[in-house]
Amino acid sequence: MTRFLANAAITIVAVTALAATPAAAVDIDFSAAALPGAGKVVMAVGEDGVLSGAAASADRQMGGALGRAVAAADFDGEAGSSLPLYGLAPYDAVLLVGVGKGLASGADVQDFGGTVAGQTAAWRGDVAVAVPDVEGLDDEAAHAALGARLGSYDFGKWGAAKTAGGGAKGADAAPKLIFHGPGEAAFAGDRRAIADGVAFARDLVSTPSNIKTPEWFAGQVESVFADVPRTSVRVLDVPEMQRLGMGALVGVGQGSARPPRLVAVRYDSPDYDGPPLAFVGKGITFDTGGISLKGGRGMWAMRGDMTGAATAMGAVMALANRGAAVDVIAVAALAENMPGGAAQRPGDVVTTMSGKTIEVLNTDAEGRLVLTDGVWWTQQTYDPRLVVSVATLTGAVISALGDDYAGVFTKDDDLAALFIDAGEVSGETLWRLPVHDNVFEDIKSDVADVKNVVEGGTPSASIGAAFIMSWAREDQPFVHLDIAGQDYTDTPRPTEPKGWTAFGVRLLDEVARRYETK
Ligand code: BES
Ligand code: MN
Ligand code: ZN
């Protein structure tokens, strides 16, 4: 399979398919044995530089040299910090990685693995990593390997020479991380699928919007899922969407020369026969704001406005590839929001597939528009057990929560609790924000059923949530995630290199685990 970045020529024809298993910048292996007594090794160090486990026994064998190095370097073992030591016999290289008060969860071990990959990226050959024990986990090494895969993700540079391994660095220029600890089978059967799902979603988001049209997105999904067992892909084009009455989705896309699409991926588990879970993602391949044009500064970042759609696709890929015991539908509501002679105007009224009408007061509140038809179609077509809308929906959620949490909105307290807990476990954390009954009153329009913005109205993120929620049926379990602050990171984190994060794949995977039948 060719990863499209392997093409040196940047022309649209050269861009074919994303690989189902994108090239990893790092090689991974496992071992159940103790750490070797030579070569390159990685060990954890606790708060105040306290040596325990593998580091303590190495220190004993080295006559206390490790402890002296830690003291001399004043290494305090803070979580995420690290100290490389070279030529300290009997090793060629030792990387000490701080784990603070200790690792407490799978997400913590993923961060540890990400830090290891980041700090050994310039090393070559075998690197033996002592994975610390975590109480209550039995697959620590699988989490560490997942973290290493996530942290070493590299989309590469357009036009740079690519080696056979794909990506910017190429496979032979990366170290091989050998994780010593339990979890080899859990990685192969489970966590590796998550790494691949995240990488696929990051590839989609990282692709610039001159290439990433709704049609291109649909084509990538079709070609990649052709190799994923028990999945099927459905693509709706404009005539079909018009026939179905999707006036809101078609309306957002009508100002662009590149027409909108709706893409649905269905994963059918052999071990489940209840109604599916549905993830409906906002897929604005570029958001200029439309006639309600955005300012120029920072507008480039709106190429990430299809992160919700990419996340939904990455999640269903992960679930299918790990053979999850639950059925899933992932839907991408795709359009490019452009100004132009055919664009919709502020004040236009559109009729959605449900029959409900919308006064489009601001064409820059387009995510909620495409999601009305996306959510309604998904509900009518699949009768899901749960509908989750995932969207880079509002700047307001960034003002409220920064990049520490994504916003979760639902009327159902149990679902809110389930999602928040899944956030903690997956490391993609959520904070609940309200959807007060008054907000549903505030979005009523004089000339249509609802209006897409309340001018000068607050709370803005809740208005967006309530708007989309108005298309969920009364009896439909429904959760909305506003991930606007999470789509991109400037400061690299252990499992998120600088760039597009594809936030939500790990979260949705963890949510799905709560519905699995085995
Ligand atoms: N895609 C934006 C939201 C966004 C902002 C995502 C910053 C990521 C970073 C969305 O379509 C938008 O323009 N929202 C408007 C809504 C407003 C017009 C009610 C906003 O938040 O300003
Ligand atoms: Mn917008
Ligand atoms: Zn947008």
Side-chain angles (χ1 to χ4, degrees):
M1 230 167 308
T2 49
R3 187 167 185 245
F4 70 87
L5 275 179
N7 297 312
I10 307 173
T11 65
I12 293 179
V13 273
V15 176
T16 50
L18 296 169
T21 318
V26 69
D27 246 354
I28 283 172
D29 209 343
F30 295 88
S31 170
L35 273 200
K40 297 175 183 135
V41 295
V42 179
M43 304 169 196
V45 174
E47 204 174 27
D48 301 326
V50 172
L51 303 181
S52 62
S57 63
D59 186 50
R60 275 193 301 276
Q61 271 154 31
M62 296 159 80
L66 216 48
R68 286 196 298 279
V70 164
D74 224 355
F75 184 62
D76 65 3
E78 197 194 316
S81 66
S82 60
L83 175 67
L85 302 164
Y86 297 99
L88 203 58
Y91 298 104
D92 299 332
V94 177
L95 180 74
L96 299 177
V97 175
V99 294
K101 289 189 193 334
L103 306 180
S105 64
D108 282 357
V109 190
Q110 289 168 30
D111 281 349
F112 169 82
T115 301
V116 171
Q119 298 304 316
T120 59
W123 292 12
R124 299 291 170 260
D126 287 359
V127 178
V129 183
V131 181
D133 283 333
V134 177
E135 192 154 323
L137 274 193
D138 54 11
D139 60 346
E140 286 90 335
H143 285 282
L146 168 57
R149 283 282 308 273
L150 295 174
S152 61
Y153 172 82
D154 181 10
F155 184 68
K157 244 193 223 276
W158 294 94
K162 306 289 190 250
T163 61
K169 291 192 194 103
D172 25 286
K176 182 191 216 176
L177 300 179
I178 302 162
F179 291 99
H180 289 246
E184 177 166 13
F187 185 69
D190 184 327
R191 303 285 164 193
R192 186 174 58 197
I194 300 173
D196 290 346
V198 173
F200 175 55
R202 285 180 182 170
D203 283 351
L204 289 171
V205 187
S206 303
T207 299
S209 296
N210 53 329
I211 291 165
K212 182 174 56 187
T213 65
E215 196 177 356
W216 177 89
F217 186 112
Q220 294 298 312
V221 170
E222 281 181 315
S223 76
V224 166
F225 280 91
D227 295 334
V228 182
R230 303 192 70 94
T231 62
S232 54
V233 179
R234 224 170 129 177
V235 178
L236 308 189
D237 61 8
V238 172
E240 173 108 57
M241 291 193 282
Q242 275 167 337
R243 197 178 56 71
L244 290 165
M246 296 184 172
L249 177 42
V250 171
V252 169
Q254 77 190 30
S256 170
R258 293 109 69 96
R261 290 284 185 274
L262 187 140
V263 176
V265 177
R266 180 191 181 106
Y267 163 61
D268 235 309
S269 168
D271 307 312
Y272 177 92
D273 51 24
L277 306 178
F279 308 142
V280 187
K282 169 179 174 181
I284 301 300
T285 57
F286 195 80
D287 181 15
T288 65
I291 296 299
S292 312
L293 194 63
K294 290 181 181 296
R297 197 190 154 100
M299 198 205 273
W300 64 270
M302 287 301 116
R303 75 202 225 196
D305 211 20
M306 36 59 74
T307 292
T311 290
M313 296 301 142
V316 72
M317 174 185 272
L319 291 162
N321 277 330
R322 73 173 177 78
V326 63
D327 291 354
V328 185
I329 309 293
V331 175
L334 299 157
E336 185 177 53
N337 190 23
M338 295 289 274
Q344 67 181 351
R345 293 143 290 260
D348 282 3
V349 174
V350 294
T351 303
T352 61
M353 184 185 167
S354 77
K356 240 186 193 6
T357 56
I358 303 169
E359 183 184 13
V360 181
L361 282 180
N362 187 323
T363 63
D364 196 12
E366 83 297 338
R368 64 199 69 182
L369 295 174
V370 300
L371 285 167
T372 62
D373 284 328
V375 164
W376 186 261
W377 179 82
T378 304
Q379 219 171 210
Q380 297 307 107
T381 310
Y382 301 101
D383 215 352
R385 185 164 166 194
L386 167 69
V387 174
V388 185
S389 94
V390 198
T392 48
L393 204 75
T394 66
V397 83
I398 310 176
S399 308
L401 303 176
D403 56 12
D404 298 319
Y405 297 98
V408 56
F409 304 78
T410 178
K411 288 181 184 168
D412 183 325
D413 294 345
D414 293 334
L415 270 178
L418 184 152
F419 271 71
I420 288 167
D421 187 63
E424 297 298 329
V425 170
S426 66
E428 297 188 319
T429 47
L430 300 175
W431 199 266
R432 189 178 185 184
L433 292 171
V435 263
H436 196 282
D437 286 344
N438 289 343
V439 178
F440 291 89
E441 292 301 313
D442 294 344
I443 60 175
K444 287 189 175 155
S445 160
D446 295 336
V447 301
D449 291 322
V450 287
K451 51 192 178 191
N452 75 331
V453 299
V454 181
E455 284 187 320
T458 52
S460 185
S462 299
I463 290 168
F467 184 90
I468 300 166
M469 216 171 268
S470 305
W471 269 263
R473 291 188 307 237
E474 204 52 50
D475 59 343
Q476 174 66 65
F478 181 84
V479 175
H480 166 65
L481 302 174
D482 193 338
I483 61 171
Q486 305 285 344
D487 57 345
Y488 186 85
T489 183
D490 244 327
T491 18
R493 303 181 192 127
T495 57
E496 290 174 343
K498 178 178 174 178
W500 303 101
T501 62
F503 177 95
V505 175
R506 281 186 287 168
L507 169 70
L508 292 176
D509 171 78
E510 183 57 39
V511 166
R513 283 173 202 265
R514 316 295 168 101
Y515 290 86
E516 286 187 61
T517 47
K518 55 167 196 238

